[in-house]
């Protein structure tokens, strides 16, 4: 049985969602987090420090018009002198960028292919298979962004102490400690979801069939002219048109080439 009329769109739709999750996990400053260790008797909500692949969640104070001071959160780039970016951290950055580039280009190409007439038949099947392999590569690269959870960002993050010091000097009078090991935050969970969607997009691209479009055809006509002489000496020309069978363009071109080759052979003889 053939695929449903719109089933060829499934890989592109899955890839679009995966690409958004990949972008979200890569640029958001909440890939991993450190949650403050609090006593069971404490009534204060624990403070959570969040860090991403490229930036971190920083805190600052602002004075309002009413004279109150509030603590603001914002995503900031890592200072060069406060973090030790090791090989695993750099690898996570590289694989995050590669996934965005490869996945973005292939997905954009897939969306454009939907409108192209060449996206059908054997050619469309080859395009889908190629996209499937690229999506499988994106699945691998996306999973490797989780190397951040085994890097210095998770186990030797100098920003944790720096941010804790900033909080202690702010108006919230922060006191407390943070664990030595990080935990997953929204960015890491989005990355895992993207891995699953890249994998599903790859399977869908390898499984579905391209759309079956009606071929472009040409139709030839045989025209016969008959000249008859009337009794009064006048001549009447009669035209008779016999319609031919519509032939696909490729078949018509092949037939034309065969006729030309036959004519050349006759001349050679």
């Amino acid at each position: 049985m053939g695929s449903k009329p719109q089933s060829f769109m499934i890989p592109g739709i899955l890839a679009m969602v995966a690409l958004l999750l990949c972008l979200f996990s890569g640029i958001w400053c909440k890939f991993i987090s450190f949650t403050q260790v609090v006593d069971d008797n404490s009534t204060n909500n624990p403070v959570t420090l969040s860090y991403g692949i490229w930036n971190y969640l920083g805190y600052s104070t602002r004075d309002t018009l009413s004279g109150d001071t509030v603590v603001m959160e914002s995503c900031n780039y890592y200072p060069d002198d406060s973090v030790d970016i090791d090989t695993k951290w750099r690898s996570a950055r590289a694989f995050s960028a590669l996934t965005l580039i490869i996945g973005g280009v292939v997905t954009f190409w897939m969306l454009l292919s939907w409108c192209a007439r060449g996206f059908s038949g054997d050619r469309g099947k080859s395009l889908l298979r190629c996209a499937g392999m690229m999506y499988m590569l994106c699945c691998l690269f996306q999973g490797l962004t989780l190397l951040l959870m085994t890097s210095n960002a998770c186990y030797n993050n100098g920003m944790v102490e720096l941010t804790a010091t900033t909080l202690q000097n702010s108006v919230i009078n922060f006191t407390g400690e943070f664990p030595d090991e990080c935990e997953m935050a929204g960015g890491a969970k989005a990355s895992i979801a993207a891995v699953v969607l890249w994998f599903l997009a790859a399977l869908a691209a390898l499984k579905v069939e391209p759309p079956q479009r009606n071929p472009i055809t040409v139709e030839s006509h045989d025209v016969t002219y008959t000249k008859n002489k009337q009794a009064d000496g006048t001549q009447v020309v009669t035209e008779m048109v016999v319609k031919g069978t519509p032939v696909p363009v490729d078949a018509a071109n092949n037939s034309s080439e065969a006729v030309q080759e036959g004519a050349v052979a006759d001349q050679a003889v």
Side-chain angles (χ1 to χ4, degrees):
M1 293 180 62
S3 59
K4 294 181 180 180
Q6 304 300 324
S7 63
F8 67 92
M9 296 183 177
I10 294 177
I13 294 174
L14 290 173
M16 281 192 294
V17 179
L19 187 63
L20 291 176
L21 290 174
C22 174
L23 181 65
F24 176 75
S25 66
I27 66 174
W28 200 29
C29 54
K30 293 185 178 182
F31 196 95
I32 58 175
S33 63
F34 296 83
T35 303
Q36 175 191 4
V37 179
V38 297
D39 298 332
D40 296 336
N41 298 328
S42 176
T43 58
N44 297 327
N45 293 327
V47 176
T48 299
L49 305 182
S50 300
Y51 302 92
I53 297 177
W54 299 94
N55 46 25
Y56 71 99
L57 181 65
Y59 297 90
S60 60
T61 57
R62 295 290 186 274
D63 294 329
T64 63
L65 296 177
S66 59
D68 297 330
T69 302
V70 295
V71 178
M72 306 292 293
E73 297 181 349
S74 62
C75 290
N76 306 306
Y77 288 108
Y78 289 104
D80 296 333
D81 56 348
S82 299
V83 291
D84 178 20
I85 302 179
D86 60 351
T87 303
K88 292 182 179 180
W89 196 338
R90 290 191 181 92
S91 298
R93 287 184 168 186
F95 286 122
S96 175
L98 285 173
T99 305
L100 281 174
I101 294 172
I102 297 175
V105 170
V106 176
T107 302
F108 182 70
W109 167 64
M110 280 284 292
L111 297 181
L112 289 181
S113 298
W114 291 353
C115 304
R117 190 164 188 89
F119 187 65
S120 61
D122 293 337
R123 182 181 300 176
K125 185 176 296 185
S126 299
L127 293 176
L128 284 171
R129 300 301 178 267
C130 181
M133 290 186 288
M134 290 296 102
Y135 287 151
M136 194 65 73
L137 188 63
C138 288
C139 175
L140 174 62
F141 287 172
Q142 186 71 55
L144 290 174
T145 61
L146 296 174
L147 285 172
L148 187 72
M149 299 196 64
T150 62
S151 69
N152 285 346
C154 191
Y155 291 98
N156 189 24
N157 195 334
M159 290 299 300
V160 175
E161 182 178 355
L162 180 62
T163 308
T165 302
T166 302
L167 292 175
Q168 290 172 0
N169 296 331
S170 67
V171 295
I172 63 174
N173 296 323
F174 169 80
T175 58
E177 297 180 353
F178 291 95
D180 297 329
E181 182 179 349
C182 70
E183 59 185 10
M184 279 190 182
K189 295 175 182 177
S191 184
I192 294 175
V195 170
V196 176
L197 288 175
W198 284 127
F199 183 73
L200 293 178
L203 289 184
L206 296 173
K207 182 67 176 178
V208 301
E209 294 293 332
Q212 300 299 322
R213 306 182 190 274
N214 294 327
I216 300 176
T217 60
V218 294
E219 186 176 280
S220 61
H221 303 302
D222 293 331
V223 182
T224 303
Y225 296 95
T226 304
K227 182 186 293 184
N228 297 320
K229 188 174 183 179
Q230 302 296 327
D232 57 358
T234 60
Q235 293 182 347
V236 178
V237 178
T238 304
E239 179 185 54
M240 183 176 64
V241 180
V242 180
K243 291 185 177 182
T245 304
V247 179
V249 172
D250 293 340
N253 292 336
N254 294 335
S255 176
S256 176
E257 292 175 359
V259 171
Q260 293 177 359
E261 291 176 356
V264 172
D266 291 341
Q267 292 177 3
V269 174

